[in-house]
Amino acid sequence: MDGNSSSRNSSLPGAFKFNEKRISASSPSGALYHFGTSGVSVAVATGLTHPLDVLKVRLQMQLVGQRGSLIGMGPLFVQVMKNEGPKSLYLGLTPALTRSLLYGGLRLGLYEPSKYACDWAFGSNNILFKIASGAFAGAISTALTNPVEVLKVRLQMNSDLRQRGPIAEMRRIVSKEGIGALWKGVGPASVRAAALTASQLATYDESKQILVNWTPLEEGFYLHLTSSTIAGLVSTLITAPIDMVKTRLMLQRESVVGSYKNGFHCAYQVLHTEGPRGLYKGGFAIFARLGPQTTITFILCEKLRKLAGLNAI
């Protein structure tokens, strides 16, 4: 719910109910609903779009350090199905769902408290504060859940690890590469999550406000569908290069000669050796995944929030 709507509601007869809901969201049971609806909606969207995430990671790891013709998502899909079977499209699903519940619950769940804190502290809830709130929520959430993301992309790249399982693979990573390996790529991952959450949530939030003010759309499915589609497109354009750098860092091994030193070094090396297109490897797959995932997440989250008695985002 945007700041203007909040101020309008405060002067209406139903203002007490609006404030009552906001107070209940800060109670223990309200907080559980608040973070729970966010986590569940992201987990469902992640499960439905996971095969696209596997393809995205494979696309991003093409021709590392080289220029050349890139295979597209369609041919890659056929190749994976032929060589590894349908189950390969669900590699890393367990850590992906685990991360979605934790990361999704925190990412969406921290956005509104951050936005309300900005409103309370600065007396404003404009687009800049929404962006700042989203960036804060995304960065904190990713920093806490980065080990699960590392495990997920490792499993997605190697179908041989399927027999070992996520717990055994995590033990192997720690024993072979050290505990710090679980936070590989945390820098660009946090930057990506900050950019993703800021662009996704702020765009969704602001799009809803603009559409309600300038179109006949009202709070409901069609408003949520339109706003989430816009948010998915904007967030893909902004985060695709950061996502590619994050994936490269998470998949490199400490023993590899000439490994990337950090996110900036990785981006520079990709630009230098693979060209500008290298930063958008897997870009279509990212949109094919992030677009539907964003739409499913927001539509389901809004529905669950309504059922739980919480205000719309």
Side-chain angles (χ1 to χ4, degrees):
M1 186 75 71
D2 60 79
N4 293 334
S5 298
S6 176
S7 61
R8 286 198 301 267
N9 284 334
S10 63
S11 61
L12 297 174
F16 177 76
K17 291 184 178 180
F18 174 83
N19 291 331
E20 186 177 49
K21 284 186 178 180
R22 280 185 57 179
I23 292 172
S24 66
S26 64
S27 66
S29 60
L32 180 63
Y33 284 134
H34 180 67
F35 287 95
T37 53
S38 300
V40 169
S41 60
V42 174
V44 170
T46 297
L48 293 174
T49 60
H50 188 75
L52 292 168
D53 191 38
V54 173
L55 293 176
K56 177 212 73 173
V57 171
R58 299 290 183 93
L59 288 168
Q60 289 174 331
M61 294 305 294
Q62 289 185 88
L63 300 173
V64 176
Q66 306 172 47
R67 295 178 187 264
S69 299
L70 302 175
I71 186 174
M73 187 168 67
L76 178 63
F77 170 77
V78 174
Q79 180 179 304
V80 171
M81 290 288 285
K82 181 180 178 180
N83 297 335
E84 303 176 44
K87 287 186 177 180
S88 294
L89 294 175
Y90 290 90
L91 289 170
L93 181 61
T94 299
L97 293 177
T98 302
R99 178 179 179 274
S100 295
L101 285 169
L102 300 173
Y103 167 72
L106 289 170
R107 188 169 69 88
L108 270 68
L110 288 174
Y111 173 69
E112 285 189 275
S114 301
K115 190 174 68 170
Y116 291 138
C118 288
D119 195 9
W120 175 81
F122 302 102
S124 175
N125 205 6
N126 61 33
I127 183 65
L128 294 178
F129 287 114
K130 291 177 182 178
I131 291 173
S133 299
F136 170 78
I140 293 296
S141 304
T142 292
L144 293 174
T145 60
N146 197 74
V148 191
E149 175 73 0
V150 170
L151 182 61
K152 184 196 76 170
V153 296
R154 292 287 182 94
L155 291 171
Q156 287 176 333
M157 276 301 295
N158 193 342
S159 58
D160 294 335
L161 298 178
R162 185 191 303 156
Q163 304 299 325
R164 185 181 298 167
I167 301 299
E169 174 59 13
M170 181 170 283
R171 288 174 179 169
R172 191 203 66 77
I173 292 173
V174 173
S175 63
K176 296 284 186 180
E177 303 174 50
I179 190 72
L182 295 176
W183 272 271
K184 277 186 176 179
V186 68
S190 296
V191 172
R192 176 194 175 273
L196 172 64
T197 309
S199 60
Q200 199 178 56
L201 280 165
T203 301
Y204 178 77
D205 200 344
E206 196 71 10
S207 295
K208 281 182 66 177
Q209 183 177 339
I210 292 172
L211 289 170
V212 167
N213 291 337
W214 294 94
T215 73
L217 289 174
E218 297 179 350
E219 189 68 45
F221 175 79
Y222 292 107
L223 177 63
H224 301 159
L225 175 63
T226 306
S227 301
S228 60
T229 301
I230 296 170
L233 177 60
V234 171
S235 57
T236 299
L237 291 172
I238 291 174
T239 62
I242 308 172
D243 187 87
M244 196 282 304
V245 170
K246 177 211 72 172
T247 300
R248 290 284 180 90
L249 288 173
M250 286 182 172
L251 286 171
Q252 75 173 352
R253 305 297 177 97
E254 294 291 349
S255 58
V256 174
V257 177
S259 59
Y260 303 124
K261 298 176 183 178
N262 50 50
F264 291 110
H265 182 245
C266 178
Y268 171 76
Q269 288 290 91
V270 170
L271 280 170
H272 180 68
T273 60
E274 302 171 47
R277 283 187 62 196
L279 289 175
Y280 277 89
K281 282 181 179 177
F284 180 75
I286 292 175
F287 177 70
R289 167 184 169 269
L290 190 56
Q293 186 187 50
T294 301
T295 302
I296 294 168
T297 296
F298 282 125
I299 290 177
L300 182 57
C301 188
E302 295 279 25
K303 184 65 176 177
L304 291 175
R305 289 175 66 87
K306 184 177 180 181
L307 292 173
L310 299 172
N311 293 308
I313 295 174

